[in-house]
């Protein structure tokens, strides 16, 4: 059985991996977290492209039939390079495109985007949203405290509520109709964000829409697996520490075994 490949700069992309496994239980999956080089947001675009190309090569060697770029920074900095380099060899799906399409289809007048500094500085969401809906007003904000807060387990408590309020309570977000959570960590605090807005703002994250895009792509090309639920998933990281292992359950929703494999060693 050919697996689906998923990669991220760390372990946040496990939220996307889990959504894919839940939607497509017969599929096997290979995940690669480039923990030796995280965060990608601190790296140059050239370095991110180099890392991304190397990981896609690795996933192709593992026989992957489709590859998901489950990293917003790699999606913005490296996708064009990956698409050109691997054209005709494998289909690539980012976490950006499915989320943008889902939101643009709703005909909102004003939406917000929160993400890491690197993703916001790239302007990728604003550019793609306005390409599909030129009249859409987009308010973007870098929210750098959210990733370390989530990774340290400060969610669903007073600390996380205070941080969320400090970011989303800004005047520019007062009249948004929808908010895009443009980081694979952020689904873990989506309920708190929805509660902050009192259900008056539609909140979108990338995991379910990306899983749906994977399903549609595999179906379109006749590549869907069938049969019993697959348990043949593999999870690799380029650098292994006990903290990574401990945090995987938070992102994946279940215990997973991380295999240490530095493809650059």
């Amino acid at each position: 059985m050919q697996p689906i490949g998923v990669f991220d700069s760390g372990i946040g992309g496990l939220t996307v991996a889990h959504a894919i496994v839940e939607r497509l239980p017969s599929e096997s999956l290979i995940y690669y977290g480039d923990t030796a080089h995280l965060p990608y947001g601190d790296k140059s675009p050239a370095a991110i492209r180099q890392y991304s190309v190397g990981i896609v090569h690795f996933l192709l060697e593992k026989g992957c039939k489709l590859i998901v770029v489950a990293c917003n920074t790699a999606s913005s900095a490296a996708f064009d390079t990956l698409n050109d380099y691997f054209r005709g060899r494998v289909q690539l799906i980012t976490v950006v495109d499915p989320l943008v399409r889902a939101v643009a289809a709703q005909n909102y007048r004003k939406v917000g985007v929160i993400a890491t500094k690197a993703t916001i500085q790239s302007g990728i969401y604003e550019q793609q949203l306005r390409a599909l809906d030129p009249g859409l007003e987009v308010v973007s904000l870098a929210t750098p405290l959210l990733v370390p807060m989530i990774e340290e387990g400060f969610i669903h408590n007073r600390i996380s509520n205070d941080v969320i309020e400090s970011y989303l309570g800004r005047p520019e977000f007062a009249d948004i109709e929808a908010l895009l959570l443009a980081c694979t960590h952020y689904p873990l605090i989506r309920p708190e964000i929805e509660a902050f807005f009192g259900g008056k703002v539609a909140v979108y994250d990338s995991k379910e829409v990306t899983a749906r895009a994977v399903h549609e792509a595999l179906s379109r090309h006749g590549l869907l697996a069938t049969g019993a639920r697959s348990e043949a998933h593999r999870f690799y990281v380029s650098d292994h520490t006990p903290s990574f292992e401990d945090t995987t359950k938070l992102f994946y929703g279940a215990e997973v075994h991380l295999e240490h494999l530095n493809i650059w060693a």
Side-chain angles (χ1 to χ4, degrees), residues 20-162:
I20 294 170
V21 168
E22 288 299 296
R23 187 179 183 92
L24 299 167
S26 297
E27 301 286 349
S28 62
L29 181 142
I30 294 179
Y31 183 88
Y32 194 88
D34 191 14
T35 50
H37 294 125
L38 67 80
Y40 275 11
D42 292 341
K43 306 298 187 296
S44 69
I48 296 167
R49 289 192 289 269
Q50 178 186 349
Y51 303 150
S52 300
V53 168
I55 295 169
V56 172
H57 270 303
F58 165 74
L59 293 173
L60 284 178
E61 289 172 359
K62 291 292 184 180
C64 292
K65 59 185 175 182
L66 179 145
I67 295 174
V68 179
V69 187
C71 173
N72 282 274
T73 304
S75 294
S76 59
F79 184 70
D80 287 344
T81 297
L82 293 175
N83 211 27
D84 291 341
Y85 197 90
F86 296 101
R87 191 183 308 275
R89 298 177 60 187
V90 68
Q91 180 164 359
L92 298 160
I93 291 178
T94 74
V95 288
V96 175
D97 295 338
L99 183 55
V100 166
R101 289 196 300 270
V103 173
Q106 301 304 312
N107 297 313
Y108 295 119
R109 297 185 305 275
K110 182 177 180 180
V111 302
V113 180
I114 58 172
T116 63
K117 288 182 179 179
T119 298
I120 294 300
Q121 289 169 357
S122 76
I124 189 169
Y125 280 92
E126 189 169 349
Q127 293 163 15
Q128 292 199 14
L129 284 165
R130 287 181 173 163
L132 294 176
D133 185 355
L136 181 64
E137 183 179 355
V138 182
V139 178
S140 300
L141 179 68
T143 50
L145 288 180
L146 295 183
V147 167
M149 178 189 82
I150 293 167
E151 289 185 346
E152 291 298 326
F154 289 101
I155 59 176
H156 311 304
N157 60 26
R158 182 179 57 81
I159 292 174
S160 58
N161 287 331
D162 287 348

Side-chain angles (χ1 to χ4, degrees), residues 231-251:
E231 301 296 338
H233 310 308
R234 303 288 294 272
F235 301 89
Y236 298 96
V237 288
S238 54
D239 184 39
H240 186 278
T241 68
S243 64
F244 292 142
E245 193 88 41
D246 293 341
T247 310
T248 54
K249 187 174 182 179
L250 181 65
F251 289 93

